[in-house]
Amino acid sequence: MKRKGIKIIIPKRELDKRIRELGSKISRDYAGKEPILIGILKGSFIFLADLVRQMKIPHQIDFIAVASYGQEVVGSGAVKLIKDLSVNIEEKDVIIIEDIVDTGLTLNFIRKNLLLRSPKSIEIVTLLDRKERRKVEVPIRYVGFAIPNEFVVGYGLDLAERYRNLPYIARVEGARLAQRKFEL
Ligand code: 5GP
């Protein structure tokens, strides 16, 4: 197989700057509260780790992991929970932390699932937003960067489990978004 070319589209200094801004904004918006930040595994782990270090208010963190069902239900948006929260979010202010929103199917599932647990509020933060491919509208309160219609890796995002450690966001030449599982 031909080696894929990697081109940086968001360098580390821009990520750092934007995450500082997001941390300050969220801290201002939640002043006097103690939100629970829920990272969606695995892609959000680096973003969450950097974001919480820019938060100036008390908060808790937890994680949730989901996987899309196989081909038999493609297009239905069916997603299954593979790791649930370890804390109770009833009457809590919840902030979902996502790496990238593409079709919106994953976040829509997670948001609805968490809403059933009667939190006081739920907002969404995503580092990257690829609006062009949205299939379901989800209310996103904080966006790091809007990105074009290209597959990206780095800063937690993978291609077949590789490249998560890159300190920047890069596009992968030759990788097609259409190859994603629930697009087959
Ligand atoms: P959605 O359900 O919004 O279509 O997709 C969200 C999930 O798909 C993200 O959490 C991420 O795991 C994966 N994803 C979407 N676009 C990309 C991409 O460009 N690169 C990588 N590595 N993952 C992506």
Side-chain angles (χ1 to χ4, degrees):
M1 204 173 69
K2 222 176 84 192
R3 181 151 162 63
K4 306 214 182 302
I6 298 280
K7 278 248 161 64
I8 299 177
I9 59 168
I10 309 174
K12 182 177 184 314
R13 64 173 183 285
E14 272 183 45
L15 288 170
D16 291 347
K17 178 169 173 276
R18 187 71 187 119
I19 290 163
R20 267 199 306 278
E21 289 167 2
L22 287 173
S24 301
K25 172 122 187 61
I26 295 168
S27 301
R28 278 199 304 277
D29 293 351
Y30 284 81
K33 299 178 178 167
E34 186 168 339
I36 302 184
L37 275 59
I38 298 178
I40 304 178
L41 292 173
K42 302 175 193 172
S44 72
F45 80 110
I46 292 182
F47 176 41
L48 178 80
D50 281 350
L51 183 66
V52 294
R53 281 177 288 180
Q54 300 300 329
M55 300 269 297
K56 299 165 180 75
I57 54 163
H59 59 273
Q60 300 172 33
I61 64 162
D62 202 359
F63 293 96
I64 196 166
V66 294
S68 55
Y69 277 101
Q71 231 167 319
E72 67 278 10
V73 281
V74 163
S76 67
V79 177
K80 65 182 162 187
L81 208 58
I82 55 176
K83 185 227 166 288
D84 204 351
L85 299 177
S86 59
V87 296
N88 185 348
I89 58 166
E90 194 177 335
E91 281 308 305
K92 304 282 187 190
D93 292 303
V94 168
I95 309 178
I96 301 174
I97 313 293
E98 177 62 304
D99 51 359
I100 179 166
V101 187
D102 189 41
T103 61
L105 294 172
T106 306
L107 259 186
N108 188 49
F109 170 85
I110 291 174
R111 185 170 170 273
K112 284 197 171 144
N113 182 297
L114 297 184
L115 276 172
L116 294 174
R117 306 176 196 200
S118 311
K120 191 164 163 196
S121 67
I122 289 200
E123 298 291 352
I124 295 170
V125 186
T126 187
L127 179 66
L128 307 175
D129 185 8
R130 194 190 288 117
K131 261 215 177 97
E132 218 176 298
R133 287 178 30 103
R134 200 75 93 245
K135 286 185 180 157
V136 200
E137 269 321 308
V138 273
I140 303 176
R141 173 104 177 250
Y142 307 94
V143 175
F145 300 89
I147 61 160
N149 205 349
E150 292 167 327
F151 190 84
V152 292
V153 295
Y155 202 71
L157 289 144
D158 74 312
L159 174 62
E161 295 301 324
R162 291 179 62 195
Y163 304 117
R164 292 192 197 276
N165 60 318
L166 298 177
Y168 45 77
I169 297 287
R171 91 177 123 88
V172 184
E173 278 154 5
R176 293 209 334 266
L177 283 163
Q179 286 170 345
R180 287 184 50 211
K181 252 189 293 190
F182 37 77
E183 293 288 24
L184 287 172

